[in-house]
Amino acid sequence: MLERDEVEPPPAAHDSSGWQRLRHWGARLREHAPRLTMSVRTRLVMLVLAVVLPGTLAALWAAWRAGEERLVRHLRDDARALSMVVDRELAQRAAIARVLALARTLDTLPDIEPAQLQLLETQARRAVQGLDGWVVLSTPDEVLFSTRLAPSTGEEPLSSRRPREPGAPPLANRPMVGSLEPGRHGIPSHASLVQPVERRGHVLANLEVTIVPLELQRLINHQDLPPDWTAAVLDGRGHIVASSSGGPALTEPAAWPALSALMQAHDEALLQGRNPNGQAVLTYFSTSSQGWSFIITAPRERLAGGQLQSLLPVLLGAMVLLAMGLAGALWLSRRIARPLDDLTSMAQTLQTGGPLRQQPTGIEEWDYVSRALVNASEAMRRSRSELEQRVNEAVERTRETEQLSSRSQRIAALGRLTGGVAHDFNNLLGVISNSAHLIQRHVHNEALQVPLSAIRRSVEVGSRLTQHLLRFAGQQAVHPQSLDLASTLKDLEALLSTVLGKRVSLSMDLQPGVRLVTADPAELELALINIALNARDALNGAGKVHFSLRNAREDELAGLAPGAYVLIKVADDGPGIPPDILPRVFEPFFTSKPVGRATGLGLSQVLGFCVQAGGTARIHCPPEGGTVVSLLLPASQTRAPAEAGAEAGATSSLAGARVMLVEDNEELSRVTATLLRSFSCQVLCVYDADEALRRFGTGAGIDVVLSDVMMPGRMDGLTLVKALRAMRPELPAVLISGYSATPVTDDPTLIVLRKPCSPAQLLDALRRAISGPQATRD
């Protein structure tokens, strides 16, 4: 309870809002009011009530709805059944009329002979034998016969033949079901099913088959309807033809506006309301295709009475279920309270830090809590040892991290060392290459040509070796260039043989006249090595691998951009690739090899290289066995450099050119200067960037600068060229790079050569630099 002296004063007087004051008092009361506590027994009883009562209400509602729907369904089914019975009677008479109207005897209408007419009357009497109706044949002028009258005998004229009554309706031109016709004293006597007799597109007569209300009344009386229900048959004009008695008085729709409107809008429907006599009824009607309607009416009291009878079992079952649920809740509450006391004792023991022993309670949830308390106690005892173990693991991980960092530093240092060695080695190769070229140029001794050519080939092999080292060190920039694939594959033959192994036979078919391609030679080499490695694994170390090179045909370029392409095929005679795996071989990280044997990146690199170059890679397994990998690369428009032509052109175009050579290696500088002077160039040799800036002056005496990229001092070759161009814009310059940690430059006016380069490449670069930006781009 909230004591008076504990209640805070209301808000200040300036707060004139009564709503805010009420909210303040309500918040204070909720804060100080004691929380409602309930025992397990009370909660279980409430749970039973919460489960049983909604279910009981739902069952009562469902039973009520089911009883109502059952009554409506009964009404609908009986109305439809009555409709079907009456429709069958009408259809039987309509069939008789159709059959008689097709008789060949009627082909001579209206001049039909008496004998033929008498024969037709006899057939009509046989057709309606056993039925209460009769058959009438009439033309526009007279009634030829009616089976309602006694038949004629002998050759006397038909007793029923007579003129049509004045004012009789014209002949019908289509089959129809008529309404009730009044008889004597205004009592309906019959209804007619009219069938026109049509010959040669004209209606010559009408054949009518009648049905009397008495026959329909017998049909209704034979229906097994409850005694308080009423059934009726209505003709097309809404008049009652026949009806049952015992239920609510039936009124024609003309006197019941609600029913009349509903029958005009629907073929069948249910109407709930009061009839014109004030009785509460349920009425269901169904209108047939003949235009007649069938109505069944039941009092609303039957619905209420039936519903109460169907609800009584549900109420009794709900009461029994509620009593059983309450009894079970009381029994279960006693089973729950005792284990709760045991769990409370275990929690108090855990709080003091004492050991716990699990006590089975017989309830799965309580046993689970008991086991949790025991496990918590054991976990607390193990916490210190686990903490020490985790600290030791953290120290060990720290040591491993330090080792990994040290290993990364060693790898980085190895990369820098490799790059430095490659730089110095390139300088040595440059000295050897230029010296060999000078000897070959000035010494015309046939005996020396062979060793000199061998020296130059060795320089090329050494140059490729340094490029591999730089790529390993991560210092080699990737650049596409124009490639002669025949020469490239020939140079890679020895490397590919080593990759495949001694037991795998390697053969090559390199067709002459193959177009050049533009691609990165390192990526091409890596792609071919990856294909060779996959072939070796497929052959299990023994078999045949065949490389072929030719220009691609038009029928092999499906899906590629228009243009010329070069095709490289690598075929092996292994077992091939299963069809379910073949579509996925180019996917990254996909491999069919055991874990640890492959990364799944080999063939994906092959496809990536081809797509980057503008082509594609394909793979298929021929029916005769093996696997074929095809590389389609777009042909380059650039022609292959001609050493002799370049050298001859450079000799004439570089004669008298003044070249500033910036090279820190003295041996390479002397050999390069001698080479340039042999082509009539004037060479100024400097050994660092500072000396180059001092001796450059205004730059009036220099035609082109040839500089190494990596040099000692505060400037490298690229920075030197920028400084020189600040003094003389558009100064022609050529850089030679043997080693660079980053791409040298993206300036299109600056030519960069890879060290060592051939004399023809060097002279061609100098010529293009002197010729201007257009020649540089070409």
Side-chain angles (χ1 to χ4, degrees):
M1 295 294 293
L2 184 65
E3 301 295 337
R4 181 180 297 273
D5 56 355
E6 294 177 351
V7 178
E8 293 184 359
H14 66 272
D15 186 1
S16 59
S17 174
W19 174 249
Q20 292 185 0
R21 287 196 297 272
L22 288 175
R23 291 179 60 187
H24 172 78
W25 289 113
R28 296 300 302 162
L29 288 173
R30 286 195 302 270
E31 181 179 353
H32 292 280
R35 292 187 176 181
L36 181 62
T37 58
M38 291 183 292
S39 64
V40 173
R41 181 177 304 173
T42 304
R43 291 180 183 272
L44 288 175
V45 170
M46 293 181 64
L47 177 62
V48 170
L49 294 176
V51 172
V52 174
L53 289 182
T56 301
L57 295 177
L60 291 173
W61 179 83
W64 180 274
R65 291 290 299 169
E68 183 178 357
E69 292 178 359
R70 186 167 53 253
L71 178 61
V72 172
R73 186 168 58 252
H74 194 181
L75 283 171
R76 183 182 67 243
D77 293 344
D78 287 347
R80 290 177 178 176
L82 181 59
S83 172
M84 293 174 61
V85 171
V86 176
D87 267 355
R88 187 173 64 248
E89 292 296 326
L90 296 177
Q92 181 180 5
R93 285 162 174 78
I96 293 173
R98 284 196 301 271
V99 171
L100 293 176
L102 294 175
R104 299 185 63 180
T105 306
L106 299 177
D107 293 345
T108 59
L109 284 176
D111 301 326
I112 186 170
E113 297 181 359
Q116 293 179 343
L117 188 60
Q118 185 175 3
L119 178 62
L120 182 61
E121 179 185 5
T122 303
Q123 293 176 350
R125 291 181 182 278
R126 291 175 181 174
V128 297
Q129 188 175 2
L131 302 178
D132 291 336
W134 56 89
V135 180
V136 178
L137 177 64
S138 59
T139 64
D141 300 325
E142 61 179 339
V143 176
L144 298 182
F145 70 81
S146 172
T147 61
R148 187 177 186 182
L149 303 177
S152 59
T153 60
E155 297 182 354
E156 297 178 358
L158 292 174
S159 58
S160 58
R161 187 164 184 169
R162 65 185 183 278
R164 294 189 69 186
E165 298 179 359
L171 297 182
N173 58 2
R174 61 181 178 84
M176 58 181 295
V177 179
S179 300
L180 284 180
E181 298 295 337
R184 296 179 180 179
H185 309 294
I187 300 175
S189 62
H190 66 277
S192 299
L193 283 84
V194 182
Q195 176 66 39
V197 179
E198 185 176 357
R199 296 294 187 274
R200 296 177 296 278
H202 298 284
V203 177
L204 304 178
N206 277 175
L207 205 154
E208 302 177 21
V209 179
T210 62
I211 183 170
V212 297
L214 180 61
E215 189 169 0
L216 297 179
Q217 185 66 48
R218 284 199 298 269
L219 293 177
I220 292 179
N221 294 338
H222 286 147
Q223 302 300 314
D224 188 15
L225 297 177
D228 55 350
W229 286 24
T230 302
V233 180
L234 279 68
D235 64 4
R237 289 180 297 189
H239 297 308
I240 298 176
V241 178
S243 65
S244 64
S245 59
L250 188 63
T251 304
E252 292 184 352
W256 193 351
L259 179 61
S260 178
L262 198 62
M263 292 181 68
Q264 292 178 4
H266 303 280
D267 290 337
E268 62 176 14
L270 174 70
L271 176 64
Q272 300 187 36
R274 295 184 177 273
N275 63 9
N277 298 326
Q279 295 173 297
V281 294
L282 293 175
T283 300
Y284 196 94
F285 71 89
S286 175
T287 301
S288 71
S289 58
Q290 307 287 352
W292 287 30
S293 301
F294 314 95
I295 301 177
I296 294 183
T297 301
R300 289 291 299 269
E301 292 80 2
R302 181 177 180 85
L303 174 62
Q307 299 296 74
L308 292 177
Q309 291 179 359
S310 62
L311 293 180
L312 184 60
V314 178
L315 288 173
L316 293 177
M319 294 178 63
V320 173
L321 183 62
L322 181 61
M324 294 175 61
L326 293 176
L330 295 176
W331 175 81
L332 185 60
S333 64
R334 285 193 288 269
R335 294 290 304 272
I336 294 176
R338 191 180 303 108
L340 279 177
D341 296 336
D342 297 338
L343 290 177
T344 302
S345 177
M346 293 180 66
Q348 293 173 352
T349 304
L350 178 63
Q351 185 177 4
T352 59
L356 295 181
R357 183 176 61 86
Q358 183 176 356
Q359 301 176 0
T361 61
I363 301 177
E364 182 179 356
E365 286 77 6
W366 293 160
D367 289 343
Y368 177 80
V369 175
S370 177
R371 288 194 300 269
L373 292 175
V374 174
N375 294 336
S377 176
E378 295 177 356
M380 292 175 65
R381 290 196 300 269
R382 294 195 305 268
S383 60
R384 179 171 299 178
S385 60
E386 291 180 357
L387 179 60
E388 293 177 356
Q389 181 180 359
R390 292 179 180 177
V391 170
N392 293 334
E393 291 176 355
V395 172
E396 186 65 24
R397 285 195 297 269
T398 303
R399 291 175 181 173
E400 292 177 357
T401 303
E402 292 176 352
Q403 292 176 359
L404 291 175
S405 176
S406 176
R407 186 181 305 169
S408 300
Q409 293 174 0
R410 288 198 302 271
I411 292 175
L414 179 59
R416 290 192 295 271
L417 175 62
T418 303
V421 171
H423 176 263
D424 294 338
F425 191 58
N426 277 331
N427 287 337
L428 295 176
L429 292 176
V431 173
I432 296 172
S433 175
N434 292 341
S435 298
H437 182 78
L438 285 171
I439 295 173
Q440 193 173 24
R441 179 179 175 83
H442 293 288
V443 178
H444 302 287
N445 189 341
E446 295 294 336
L448 295 178
Q449 296 303 318
V450 175
L452 287 174
S453 298
I455 291 174
R456 295 181 65 179
R457 287 196 300 271
S458 299
V459 168
E460 293 177 359
V461 174
S463 176
R464 287 198 297 270
L465 177 60
T466 57
Q467 300 309 313
H468 289 311
L469 291 175
L470 289 174
R471 192 178 301 113
F472 167 76
Q475 309 295 346
Q476 178 61 32
V478 177
H479 295 292
Q481 56 184 321
S482 183
L483 296 178
D484 180 2
L485 290 180
S487 176
T488 302
L489 290 176
K490 202 64 179 175
D491 293 340
L492 291 175
E493 185 173 4
L495 177 61
L496 294 174
S497 296
T498 303
V499 171
L500 292 171
K502 296 181 179 180
R503 298 175 58 195
V504 177
S505 173
L506 173 64
S507 60
M508 288 191 176
D509 179 15
L510 311 178
Q511 293 188 4
V514 176
R515 301 181 182 93
L516 302 181
V517 298
T518 300
D520 183 353
E523 291 296 321
L524 173 62
E525 179 179 335
L526 181 58
L528 295 177
I529 290 175
N530 282 328
I531 296 175
L533 288 173
N534 277 275
R536 183 196 64 185
D537 293 342
L539 295 172
N540 200 17
K544 296 179 181 180
V545 175
H546 179 70
F547 280 73
S548 62
L549 172 67
R550 61 176 173 84
N551 293 323
R553 299 189 302 268
E554 288 293 335
D555 59 341
E556 297 172 330
L557 306 181
L560 295 176
Y565 287 81
V566 176
L567 174 64
I568 303 176
K569 276 192 176 181
V570 183
D572 63 63
D573 60 349
I577 302 175
D580 57 330
I581 297 177
L582 190 61
R584 301 187 59 192
V585 294
F586 286 121
E587 294 181 6
F589 304 107
F590 175 78
T591 178
S592 59
K593 300 174 184 177
V595 178
R597 291 284 305 277
T599 62
L601 295 175
L603 290 180
S604 65
Q605 182 273 335
V606 174
L607 179 61
F609 158 71
C610 294
V611 172
Q612 186 178 20
T616 188
R618 298 168 181 167
I619 187 169
H620 75 282
C621 296
E624 60 270 16
T627 304
V628 178
V629 181
S630 301
L631 280 62
L632 284 162
L633 302 175
S636 173
Q637 302 299 326
T638 305
R639 294 185 177 181
E643 295 270 343
E647 183 175 329
T651 302
S652 59
S653 61
L654 293 178
R658 293 161 293 182
V659 182
M660 173 182 279
L661 175 61
V662 186
E663 173 60 60
D664 62 300
N665 188 293
E666 294 184 6
E667 292 294 334
L668 181 58
S669 177
R670 284 199 300 270
V671 173
T672 304
T674 303
L675 176 65
L676 294 176
R677 291 189 183 105
S678 69
F679 289 102
S680 302
C681 295
Q682 300 177 22
V683 183
L684 173 62
C685 295
V686 294
Y687 298 99
D688 56 41
D690 293 334
E691 183 182 358
L693 289 174
R694 287 195 307 270
R695 301 188 63 178
F696 184 75
T698 61
I702 302 299
D703 293 326
V704 63
V705 174
L706 176 62
S707 173
D708 190 9
V709 175
M710 298 302 298
M711 293 186 300
R714 58 188 180 88
M715 290 185 183
D716 58 9
L718 179 60
T719 308
L720 171 62
V721 170
K722 291 180 180 179
L724 295 177
R725 286 186 172 179
M727 294 184 288
R728 177 183 164 185
E730 300 183 358
L731 172 68
V734 177
L735 296 178
I736 303 181
S737 174
Y739 160 73
S740 178
T742 58
V744 176
T745 181
D746 55 358
D747 187 355
T749 65
L750 190 60
I751 301 175
V752 181
L753 298 178
R754 189 179 67 186
K755 187 187 295 185
C757 63
S758 67
Q761 292 174 336
L762 177 60
L763 296 175
D764 180 67
L766 292 174
R767 178 187 59 79
R768 289 190 288 121
I770 294 174
S771 299
Q774 183 62 35
T776 302
R777 286 193 294 269
D778 293 342

